[in-house]
Amino acid sequence: MLRRQQASAIVSARQQIVEDAVGMVMMAIERLEADNGISLDEERKAAMINNMMVPSSRIAQPIPS
């Protein structure tokens, strides 16, 4: 039972991460178009989406204090 709950929690967390990431990309595109008057064609939108959705290859490191 515990494994099923853990699996469900992981799926829910990943789903939330994807929804938030997609929302950030959509918001960025909308703000560029609305605030700056920039009109992106579909190819440029796809490139921007790809760049924003691909995770960084760098691993976060703690900063020594």
Side-chain angles (χ1 to χ4, degrees):
M1 181 68 172
L2 182 57
R3 284 188 180 174
R4 187 174 297 152
Q5 288 174 332
Q6 288 174 332
S8 178
I10 289 169
V11 168
S12 294
R14 288 181 179 170
Q15 191 173 28
Q16 187 65 48
I17 290 168
V18 169
E19 288 176 12
D20 290 346
V22 169
M24 285 190 301
V25 171
M26 290 173 59
M27 185 173 43
I29 291 171
E30 288 171 2
R31 288 200 54 195
L32 281 172
E33 291 179 339
D35 295 349
N36 299 324
I38 296 172
S39 180
L40 300 172
D41 61 11
E42 294 304 312
E43 187 175 329
R44 296 234 188 250
K45 285 181 187 178
M48 184 174 173
I49 291 166
N50 185 48
N51 289 337
M52 291 183 75
M53 297 294 282
V54 174
S56 174
S57 60
R58 296 185 311 189
I59 299 173
Q61 299 290 328
I63 299 172
S65 45

